[in-house]
Amino acid sequence: MTIQPKSALRLQTHWTPAIEDESLAYSLTLTNLSARPVSGFKLCVNGPGRIDPEAMVEGGSLTARLSNHSELSPPDGFVLEPGASWTVTARGLSYPLRHWTDGANTAYVAFADGTTVPVSVAPTQAKGDNAPLKRGAEIYPVPHVAPVPVAIVPWPNSVSVSGRVAVPQGLAIEAKGDEAKAAAAAFAELVEGLFPVEGIVRPESEGGIPVSLVVADDFASEAYAIRFAGDRVMISAATRSGLLYGLITLGQILRGARHHPETFLFPLEGEIRDEPSLGWRGTHLDVARQFYGTAEVSRFLKIMAWNKLNRFHWHLSDDEAWRIEIDAYPELTRIGAWRGHGLPLPPLLGSGPERTGGYYSKASVREIVALAGRLGIEVIPEIDVPGHCYAMLQAIPELRDPAEHGVYYSVQGFPNNCLNPAREETYQVLETILDEVIELFPYKRIHVGADEVPIGAWSGSPKALAKLGELAGADVAAVHAKRVNIITNRHNADEIDGSGAAVLQAEFLRRVQAFLASRGCITGGWEEAAHGDVIEKEKSFLNGWRSVEVSAALAGRGYDIVVCPGQVYYLDMANSPAWSEPGAAWAGWSEPESLYDFDPVEGWTDEQKRHFLGVQCCIWSEPMTDRGVFDRLVFPRISALAETGWTRPERKSWERFKALAGLMPILYGITAAA
């Protein structure tokens, strides 16, 4: 059935929290604004919030549900007349809605003949909260009087400058030798990408101040010094990265003085000496839930470099999509990279009925990795296994145990989403994939995920149960077999330590890490990779995401740890508990000041700190269909994280940071309404 115009159907959604004796209510009202009646349809909706499969539904029925994609049908024989509305209310969700982005953000109606009609969707409203909805980065205004005379983020170790000169029009860089020339070229590429019309790099004939680059041996690998001497500047460092960081600092000083001459100056004389506090200063980007094109990733890398971040954790696969080209298995991207109505992967997290998605060709990956290398950033790819593999298994279904029966669910509501650790075919396929991945990423650090395996995983697989019996005994296998068809998690990831699922995952990781080690690679994993203590600690690292206490305990057991607790460093979490803020809330919320002040090793012993690699923020993409939401959630918090990674704790100052953060670039340039 065809309905015209496109906006002839409208969806409004409302959220009412549970109060007293009344259960929560998530109500969806479809209104027919056309001149024709509509019948024989299903309402298909998706967004971060998930209707529980066992929820009581009033006014209709939940006829299909995969994670956050739900299909709701009206009663038999129902006709939605012109001008009329139909309301269906769900009395159960996988978690309560807490922010406006939690509700449905895409909807369409589907008919039995396979046709679909888009539905316009208004942001979900919450009972009792009518505040204007927020999107776009909140830019801190630069004050007339700042705590410091020069604009630099993250703040250096030592700044000793005085006097001022007329602000130069740009920087005329003098580079001799391969390292200096490479640093100068990388800086020119960086500022051309971030500030294309400012002419930060320009010759003396156009007003550029001479800047000489000097390679000197007496610096640590990322350290540098800048010396101001009237009409020229000298930057010294031992490496290309050090020289590049010196140029970035100088570029920030120039931009601050140019854009806010009443607040900041360009020094006449003096010196800045600097090096990072931590070696690992990272950002994770989930490109599976939402796809970001090569141009977006490239600009994001440039913003990372401007913040002196040096690790890019690229989350390339998950339940919702597979995003990297693999020659041996073209179906991974042919099937796993696309979502749409009637496809193996339905619309999810804001994607509509049309075929949408994308993946990175090998040429694009090489382009991105090369750019990152020029900017001093190491790229760490993540292929998330053995859990979070729904998309992969849709593309290669023969990886399943053909005798497996029953269902288990991940916390995100995906059924039977784990690679089977008892089948040799699993390792043959995965090793082939990893060999192709290794060839693309020269730093030899490969992340394999290992997070959020459901406690019921493989409980209906005869192959897995037999393997579990070999590894842990018949009694453990018998207990695990009883978990089939039992929904074990709805609100938090299962704690699987000591379970049959943990034993099987440990065997899987033992095999995978041994393979990666044979290829000269270090294996990365989320903290769950420590289950069973089977991975070689000298050839691995973990991302600690639950809490600082968990990370400290793992460090105490000898694991190298990158600290990224969800409560603080997950940038998909909202900036405040207000409904009007976008973002998630399952781990809490963290305003920029809280993130800035957070101590990632509070309470750690000296022995635990020996295994502290550094810090990383994580950008999970569930709420970020709207790129204005991305800008609001990521900026300026990414710069706050960067200062924690670079600046010594005793030299940090929130008031100084707040005065300078407004000069930092944002990805999409979407700012909050004043």
Side-chain angles (χ1 to χ4, degrees), residues 42-67:
K42 297 182 293 186
L43 173 63
C44 304
V45 298
N46 68 80
R50 300 186 292 272
I51 298 175
D52 193 284
E54 298 181 357
M56 178 186 298
V57 177
E58 302 166 356
S61 58
L62 180 65
T63 51
R65 183 259 201 187
L66 177 70
S67 185

Side-chain angles (χ1 to χ4, degrees), residues 283-285 313 526 564 569-572 616-620:
T283 297
H284 154 287
L285 180 64
H313 178 167
W526 299 99
C564 46
Y569 288 167
Y570 274 26
L571 300 190
D572 55 316
Q616 177 175 296
C617 60
C618 295
I619 302 172
W620 299 101

